[in-house]
Every structure is written in C-alpha cells, then in structure tokens.
Amino acid sequence: MIYLDSAATTLEKPREVPRSSAWAMTHLASPGRGGHAPGMAAADLMYQMREQAARLFHVDSPERVVLTCNATHALNIAIRSLVRPVGTAVISGYEHNAVTRPLHAIPGVKVRVAAGPLFDPDRVYAAFEREVAPEVEAVICNHVSNVFGFIQPVERIARLCRERGVPLIVDASQSAGMIPVDLEGWGAAFVAMPGHKGLYGPQGTGLLLCGADAQPLLYGGTGSLSASQEMPDFLPDRLEAGTHNVCGAAGLLAGMKFVSRAGTARIHRRERELACRMMDALERCPGITVFRGGSQSGLFSIVVDGMDCEDVGEALARRGVAVRAGLHCAPLAHHTAGTQDTGTVRFSFSAFSRPEQADRAAAAVCGLAAGKK
C-alpha cells in the first residue's frame, strides 16, 4: 500500500514509538498516584515528555505543557478559557471544525472570519488587520491548512495580536514536527497540536502549550491537593483531571525525540520535495486541477474533472493508494477556496514517504483522469 494520508495520521512510525508505548504498559503505573517505583517512574516519564516538548516548541517551563487526548481536546480548553458567551472571536478562513464547532457551541458568540485567497499570505494578513479590534476576546488561526497545505502568516498575525492586546490561539495540527512552532516567540496564549501526526506519536495523544492562564474543561482527581474540591490552580494539574495516558505519552516522547534528531527543516524539505514531484506529474495530466502555491507545506489537494472526489478516493484505495477525500472536517476552508461543492482529494507525505510512491500514486491518478473509471 502507498500511504499518502499522513495529514490525518502518520501510519509508519519510528520503531521506538510502539516499543516505548508497549514497555510503558507493563512497567509504568499512574503518576501522582503512589510513591512506589512504577508510579515514580511514570511521573519521571511524564516530566521528560514535557521537557522534550518545551525544548522543541520554545515553552519557558515544562509544567506549561499539558497532555491532552488530541488537538481537538486542546483547542476546546483554549477556546473555552478565552471566549465567553456573547463574546467575539476572529478566525481565519481555513479553520477546521475543531475550532468552528467549539465556537458555535458557546451561546451568542460572534465569529468574524478573516478570509483571504488561497496561497496569498499578504491578503490573509490584511484581513486579520481589518478584523482584529480591542473587543475581540481571541484570535484563532491554524498554522497550516489541513486541506490545502497553505502556510498562513502566523508570525505576522502573532505580532499584530501582541500590538493590539488580543490573545492568540494557534492550531499547529499540520505544522508541529514539520515547521518551527514557537510559543514564546509568538507570544501566543495557547498552541494546540496532536501527537499522532507530525510528532509520530500514538493516536489519542495531543499537547496544549500554555502561554496564558487556562480554565479546566474536565474536573476530577489529579493526585494533588486531594483534600480540596477545587481544581489545583497550577499547571499541568489544573488541566489534567483523571488518569494519564502514560502509554501514549511514552510513545509521544519517543516520537518527539525522533523529530528532534531528524530536524523539522529536513522533514519539511523532504515532504515538500515529494509533494512538488507529484504535483508536477499531475499537472501534466489533462483533467486534473492541482491546488498549489508558494506558501505550501508537504500536502496538497486536487479535483479530477467529471469525477466525485469520494469516488476518486475509493478508486485509489482499490489500487492500493490511501488518501483522504471529501471536506476533510473543514467546510470553512472549502468555502474560502471555492471547493465547497466538490470537496477535494488530499495527498500528504511523511518523513518515511519515498519518491517512487509519489510517482506510482501520480500514475494511478492520471490513469483515473484519462479513463474516468
């Protein structure tokens, strides 16, 4: 199988990731739940995981790295911490449902969309300049579009937010592990990310990097201040109610170590080279629209003339090519780009993807476009 759906989940992991998770399952207990050796070893691993993330993403204290179930969990905490009922938020035109649905669930929230054309960071930034005002409670922007790979001008948006005194939440779901993420440099209130994509960790893991105070989303035991019925007022305990996913954290730590060794710049360059190689091949085939631009990561989308995108995805799966087709849980991004009626077929690479896979996948797509079957 040619797996080109790494933007959803990286399937091929460094060997040490599953090994670490399996080892943790039979050797580690729960951190903060006992002074015995397995419990203390679990607490030590959790701290190592936080330290690794703090180094990788420029967080001034490991305690400000919170383990979550996924990026959606992290974004819900961040959004609920900043946006109140009847408040106002500004989002980009390329946000995922992990942002838009939590906002929709807050009563009376006004959402302003700072939309700009695809692969045009200057006009996206200009849209944020128009929308960000003192009454805005939070700006929320993904670093990279999960549909088109569009790298948004987060550094400039972060500077604008600092100048206007508005907190920034960054969704780094498609950038963490591939493009530098800098909580401290951006001055962001929060950065959310999954563990199972560019960090090569297990599913069911995520991180919330906290540059601001946060409100709990879940309430319960933390292993600390047990006599109090209030959640602890310190991180990470305030946001980590219940038993930790220690096995997931062990795999995530191993994945982040792999990313640190390989280097984000090297990983991104490889993914971008493979994406460009495949886009070049597809653009030579009649009947295929390729969405590409200068400000793009190692993922891209296409539309095949006369074919439903879901049909294309299913036909490729029968040919041994795994991709994502449809709206990708991001209808707003499709509305902004004008593909809301068709959806797209998305191809995404990882550090383990190979040139011959890009070539074979391109040949399969070109064959579909030519034969329409």
Side-chain angles (χ1 to χ4, degrees), residues 159-200:
R159 184 170 61 249
L160 175 70
C161 289
R162 293 195 304 271
E163 291 171 352
R164 299 190 181 179
V166 177
L168 171 66
I169 300 170
V170 178
D171 177 2
S173 293
Q174 300 297 338
S175 61
M178 294 159 280
I179 299 173
V181 171
D182 187 350
L183 176 76
E184 197 170 32
W186 294 341
F190 299 101
V191 176
M193 63 188 66
H196 66 283
K197 298 184 183 185
L199 299 183
Y200 296 90

Side-chain angles (χ1 to χ4, degrees), residues 100-116:
T100 58
R101 284 180 173 175
L103 288 171
H104 180 76
I106 300 174
V109 165
K110 296 180 284 294
V111 178
R112 301 178 184 172
V113 180

Side-chain angles (χ1 to χ4, degrees), residues 35-83:
H36 46 68
M40 297 300 288
D44 182 61
L45 180 134
M46 292 294 297
Y47 193 76
Q48 289 181 49
M49 183 275 294
R50 299 185 208 279
E51 282 189 312
Q52 184 68 37
R55 286 191 295 269
L56 192 56
F57 304 120
H58 306 282
V59 185
D60 63 7
S61 170
E63 287 79 9
R64 303 193 76 82
V65 176
V66 173
L67 181 67
T68 63
C69 298
N70 43 51
T72 299
H73 180 193
L75 285 164
N76 271 264
I77 295 172
I79 290 168
R80 288 282 182 170
S81 294
L82 295 178
V83 183

